[in-house]
Structure formats: structure tokens, C-alpha cells
Amino acid sequence: MGRLIFSSLFTLAVLMSLVFGVVMAVMLFTDTINIWLAIGLTIIFNVIAWLVGPFFTDWLNRVFYKTKFISPEDLAKEHPEISEIIQKVSSEYNFHFPKFGVIADKNPTAFTYGSGRFNARIVVTEGLFHFLSAKEAQAVVAHELGHIVNRDFIVMMVASTLVQILFELYAVLIRAQGKRSGNLKIIALVSYGLYVFGIYLLLFLSRTREYLADAFSARYTSPQTLSDALIKVAYGIVAAGDDDSSKRLLASTRHLGIVDVVNAKYYGVTSYVAQNDSKVLAEVMVFDRVSPWAKIAELNSTHPLTGKRIGHLGDLAKEMGKKFSFDIDGAVERMKIDRSRLYADFALGFLVSLLPWILGLGVFLFVSIPGTLAAFGIGMLLQLAYRYPFGTPQPTTVLEEMRNPYASPARGKPVELSGKVIGRGVPGYIFGEDMMYQDKTGLIFLNYTSALGFLGNWFFALKKLKTLFEVPSTVKGWFFRGIGSMIMLRTLTTEKEKIRSYPILWSLLIPLILVALSVLLALFLA
């Protein structure tokens, strides 16, 4: 706990030193006051946004997510265990009972927002109550209360303001005129570099606050409970428990679960694995421990890798003298990871991601300017062929794919799943066209793309998506895994209809247009 608090304070201190270092450099080379006006306006704007933001967010939640706010009395009647944990924490830390909202969606998640302890809000989905036990729901809310108690709204506002000031310094100084403009423009470029660095510090700070909120929840519930939550929801490893195959599956397992609190995209009824089968769950976490893709993805994420969070909770359990089920290091050793394959696949995928730029720059430097666009477009087409490999989708399960440490966010795997759509990809969002899909072992995010672009996506979200809820179906598409997992949907088939998704169509247009423009430019210059 002390180490995490120190990390947060140290990150804030570094951000402050970056800002004031540039400011001091400016003072050495100029007498201008424009820069102070820009900084002042930035601070004033952010403070106003911080104060009024919760009320604007309330409106957004009501209009676009159909959030219903309920009174503390109603919450105590309907969900006494949730009311109990909120009452306990708010009394202990001397702040008012947070405003509590519920989104009518079965994709369970929870989040909090506000300006500080004095006007915090907690919002959850109905799926939280429908699929989780009382203790599990308490752990979810305890995590959100951790954000409130730790004053994360204020910490992140201050940090983001400092990063914005660095950009303001760049924007003002890069336009400097006069005899000292050269020095000022150098400072501007340094400020921009620090701004980019500051963004990554901001992400690091956000991840640190998540660890602190995890520690808070673990203290009020248990590290094991919160770990079960992350596995069940962040990884989507759950079982339907309705049909014969699910009953056979559950015969060798026990109840487990709780929900991830911030980046949740999944829901479930019962965890696939319990304490006596924790080795299987540890294997799901191996990707977070060994994959280079996971490490790259985390750098650009506001949330830590789930496997790292569970490892942190394991350390907390040891400190608290409590039992903990998951041994990720043991799973890594047991699975005998082929690291040469792991890094060879990563190197190829990373190279393919740069291919348009490599080809475009090569043609620009050594061939011709008109051919540059065509080279860039051809690189994008090759990239597309790598990302969506051809082949017959193979029947599989969410669990099977999540246990694959060689999965990638750059190259999909053709898969086929059987199950049903259970909610929107973004819980409650009426314009969200994506879906949450459940098979007998878990849940996964389905990315739908209409042939008509964003207008088709909106129509599907508003008119069609709800008709697919709870209807048995089969989906085919490409499985990807990075900071989270998803399927780029190709088809969704029920007894009555077949829904088609076109993830490749729109990705083809830009490279084809670039190639066509290159040809026209070459003809024009000939």
C-alpha cells in the first residue's frame, strides 16, 4: 500500500517538475504574458469541468444509457448488502451516501465519477445483481468506493491539467517571433516531447490508482473475492449452467465469481473453475504474464493487465495471511511456453503493422512520389490479409481461446462459437452496435460492422440488436486478444435469420483509393 501511494505521489511530482521546468526555461528567454494567460485559462476550464462534470455525466447516463438513480432507502430494501458496504465506508470516512444509479443491461459492470467524496456517484448494471452473489457485488462496490476514498477524481484532474499545460506551452512557444524565437521554439519542441511522455505518465498514474482501489476492496472483502471477480468478468470465464454439457462442466467445478469494476465488458452466471481447478484459471492469466503484446497494450491502457492485478492481490493475501488460489508462475512453468515462437510471432506482427510506412517511405526515397501512395495502399492490403487470415472457422469455446498464450491483437484466428447474445457491448448504450456473447464456458465482446458504415451501425443498434438477446445462435469471426479479448464478427446465425458483419469491407476502401489516386497521379505527371 505504501509503495502504491508513493508511486502516485512520485508520478504527480514528476509531472509538476516537467511543467515547472519548462516554465522556468520560458522565464529565462521571454517577458511574454501570453503563456500565463493560456495556462490560467487551462486551469480555470479544468476546474469548472471538474465541478460541473458530474451533473453533465448524470444527464448523459440518463439519456444515452437509460440510467435510473435510486434512493438510499430503496437500495437498502432491494440490495441490502450493497447499502451496507456503502454505509460502512461513507460513515468511516465521513462523506455522504453516494448517488447510486442502475443501468438496465445484463452485461455487469460498475463505475464511479464525481468531483470528490462530497458528490460521488456509483453506477452499476442490473447484471451485477442478476449474476453475482451478494459478497461479489459488495466487492465490486468496494472497489468503486476505493476510488472515492482515495480522491482519484481530484488526483487525475490535477495530473491531466499538468499534461495539458505542457501542450499549451508548446502551442504558444512554437509561434514565437523575434530574436529569441529560436530558443523558444526549441523549448516548445522539448515541451511537446514532455507532453507525450506526460501522457504515458498519466496512464501509469491511472493504473496505480486501480491497484490502490483493488487494495481497498481486498481490505473490506478479500483478495480472493476480487481476484475471482477479475477472472469472471475481465476474462469472461463463466459457464451457462443450463444445458447438459454445462452441467457436466460444472460437475467438476464450483461456484466462483465477481465483476471487474472499471473496464468490464463481460458478464456471467457461474465461473468455469473454482478453487479445486484454479490451475485452469491461472493458465488464462499466462497471456498477461508472457505475451509481448500484453505488455505493449498495457502501456496504452488506463488499467493494468488483469493477470498483474491478480498477482498484486496474491501478494496482498500473503501479507494479510489469507488463502489465495492462483499461481500464475506455476502455470507458466507448467505450460512450457515456447518463447522463441512467442517473440517471432510478435516480431512478424509488429513488422506487418509498420508495413505501409516501410513500403511508402521506401518508394518515396528510392522510386517516385506518385508511387508512394500505391506502396502505402499495398502495405495496408497486405496488413489486412495478415490480420484476417482465410480459412474455415473452427468450433471452439471462449475458455479454449483465452487459454492460448500465443493469441494476438494483430492477427485474428478464425473461430466459431455457439451461444447467445446477452447484452450490449457497452452496457446500456443505445447507439452501441456491438454485443456481448455467451457460450457454455464464457463471454466475449462481438465487434459488429455494418456494410452501410456508421449509419448502418446506428440502425442496427436502435432497431435490431435487442431482438437478438437470449436467442440461441452461432457466430463466426476472428478472435483477437490484447488488453481484452473480442471477436470481429463475420456472421451471426439464428434459426430464423443470418446477420452479416463487414469488418474487412471498410478497411479495403482506403488502400484501394490510395492505389487509384497513385495511378491517376502517375498518368497526370506522365
Side-chain angles (χ1 to χ4, degrees):
M1 177 67 73
R3 178 177 57 83
L4 292 175
I5 294 173
F6 173 79
S7 296
S8 295
L9 294 176
F10 177 76
T11 305
L12 282 174
V14 170
L15 288 170
M16 288 180 180
S17 66
L18 294 179
V19 171
F20 290 113
V22 176
V23 171
M24 290 301 293
V26 175
M27 293 176 68
L28 291 174
F29 291 103
T30 182
D31 298 325
T32 181
I33 62 171
N34 290 335
I35 194 166
W36 307 115
L37 178 61
I39 292 173
L41 291 175
T42 298
I43 294 173
I44 291 171
F45 176 82
N46 280 5
V47 170
I48 292 174
W50 168 66
L51 289 173
V52 304
F55 303 99
F56 180 68
T57 305
D58 285 349
W59 177 80
L60 287 177
N61 281 328
R62 285 192 179 99
V63 174
F64 295 106
Y65 298 88
K66 303 303 179 185
T67 303
K68 178 184 177 183
F69 289 96
I70 61 178
S71 68
E73 293 76 20
D74 288 338
L75 181 62
K77 292 177 183 177
E78 297 173 20
H79 308 288
E81 67 287 341
I82 299 298
S83 177
E84 177 187 346
I85 190 71
I86 295 177
Q87 287 280 12
K88 181 177 181 180
V89 172
S90 59
S91 297
E92 184 174 336
Y93 288 89
N94 195 29
F95 61 90
H96 294 296
F97 195 106
K99 194 172 181 179
F100 196 91
V102 179
I103 298 174
D105 193 288
K106 285 189 177 180
N107 180 356
T109 188
F111 58 93
T112 184
Y113 59 96
S115 304
R117 293 180 180 179
F118 60 93
N119 68 353
R121 284 93 156 119
I122 295 176
V123 176
V124 304
T125 59
E126 288 181 350
L128 194 74
F129 304 122
H130 190 76
F131 297 109
L132 301 174
S133 71
K135 290 295 183 183
E136 294 164 351
Q138 279 186 333
V140 172
V141 174
H143 177 102
E144 302 306 334
L145 288 166
H147 285 300
I148 297 170
V149 169
N150 294 335
R151 296 185 173 91
D152 287 344
F153 313 130
I154 300 173
V155 171
M156 296 309 298
M157 186 274 291
V158 171
S160 62
T161 299
L162 292 170
V163 173
Q164 284 179 260
I165 290 174
L166 286 169
F167 184 82
E168 293 292 344
L169 290 168
Y170 158 76
V172 171
L173 297 179
I174 200 66
R175 298 192 298 270
Q177 302 293 327
K179 62 180 181 179
R180 296 179 178 176
S181 62
N183 289 330
L184 292 175
K185 287 183 178 180
I186 291 174
I187 296 173
L189 294 176
V190 171
S191 183
Y192 186 80
L194 293 176
Y195 161 72
V196 174
F197 179 62
I199 290 175
Y200 284 95
L201 276 179
L202 195 63
L203 292 170
F204 170 76
L205 179 62
S206 177
R207 294 194 294 271
T208 299
R209 307 313 291 183
E210 286 304 315
Y211 282 126
L212 285 169
D214 283 350
F216 185 90
S217 178
R219 222 167 48 242
Y220 278 86
T221 57
S222 76
Q224 182 68 55
T225 303
L226 189 56
S227 296
D228 294 346
L230 292 169
I231 290 165
K232 185 175 181 182
V233 181
Y235 286 140
I237 306 303
V238 299
D242 292 324
D243 56 23
D244 290 339
S245 62
S246 296
K247 290 175 181 176
R248 288 194 298 272
L249 177 68
L250 292 172
S252 62
T253 64
R254 295 181 184 273
H255 182 70
L256 184 78
I258 186 179
V259 65
D260 174 54
V261 288
V262 178
N263 213 16
K265 291 182 178 178
Y266 319 95
Y267 90 92
V269 182
T270 310
S271 172
Y272 172 72
V273 162
Q275 297 168 356
N276 64 327
D277 234 342
S278 59
K279 291 182 178 180
V280 177
L281 289 179
E283 291 173 4
V284 172
M285 306 176 213
V286 166
F287 176 89
D288 288 349
R289 182 63 62 86
V290 304
S291 174
W293 289 115
K295 295 175 176 59
I296 295 295
E298 187 182 48
L299 289 177
N300 293 284
S301 174
T302 57
H303 303 91
L305 295 168
T306 302
K308 290 182 66 174
R309 292 176 71 178
I310 291 174
H312 171 245
L313 288 166
D315 293 338
L316 287 177
K318 187 180 296 184
E319 292 176 11
M320 299 165 68
K322 293 186 176 181
K323 292 182 179 179
F324 197 74
S325 302
F326 310 116
D327 179 10
I328 306 175
D329 292 330
V332 173
E333 184 177 349
R334 184 170 63 252
M335 295 177 75
K336 301 186 184 305
I337 304 299
D338 185 346
R339 294 186 183 272
S340 61
R341 173 189 170 186
L342 204 65
Y343 281 90
D345 289 350
F346 170 74
L348 178 59
F350 189 74
L351 177 65
V352 170
S353 70
L354 298 177
L355 196 57
W357 298 98
I358 294 172
L359 293 179
L361 184 61
V363 171
F364 176 78
L365 293 175
F366 302 108
V367 184
S368 67
I369 294 177
T372 301
L373 292 177
F376 198 90
I378 290 171
M380 293 180 69
L381 291 173
L382 293 174
Q383 190 180 76
L384 200 61
Y386 178 83
R387 181 171 176 79
Y388 299 105
F390 294 104
T392 303
Q394 297 300 310
T396 185
T397 65
V398 171
L399 177 65
E400 187 66 24
E401 298 310 313
M402 292 296 290
R403 292 174 70 187
N404 177 15
Y406 306 102
S408 166
R411 182 171 174 83
K413 176 184 176 182
V415 297
E416 176 182 323
L417 298 177
S418 296
K420 60 185 178 181
V421 176
I422 55 86
R424 296 181 183 273
V426 179
Y429 183 49
I430 59 175
F431 293 108
E433 73 278 4
D434 300 321
M435 297 161 272
M436 190 55 54
Y437 195 80
Q438 181 185 20
D439 76 353
K440 64 183 180 180
T441 66
L443 303 124
I444 196 159
F445 186 84
L446 298 185
N447 193 316
Y448 170 85
T449 305
S450 170
L452 301 178
F454 71 91
L455 291 177
N457 288 345
W458 283 357
F459 180 83
F460 181 82
L462 293 170
K463 300 296 183 180
K464 187 64 182 176
L465 198 154
K466 288 189 71 173
T467 67
L468 300 174
F469 289 174
E470 303 298 333
V471 177
S473 60
T474 299
V475 300
K476 295 181 181 180
W478 292 269
F479 174 83
F480 294 89
R481 183 172 179 185
I483 198 74
S485 59
M486 71 170 181
I487 288 178
M488 294 295 291
L489 185 63
R490 186 174 177 182
T491 61
L492 185 152
T493 307
T494 69
E495 289 185 354
K496 296 182 179 180
E497 60 184 330
K498 188 172 189 177
I499 306 295
R500 295 185 181 275
S501 175
Y502 300 88
I504 299 178
L505 176 64
W506 288 93
S507 299
L508 277 172
L509 290 181
I510 293 178
L512 292 177
I513 289 172
L514 290 176
V515 172
L517 287 175
S518 183
V519 172
L520 291 175
L521 185 60
L523 292 174
F524 178 77
L525 295 176

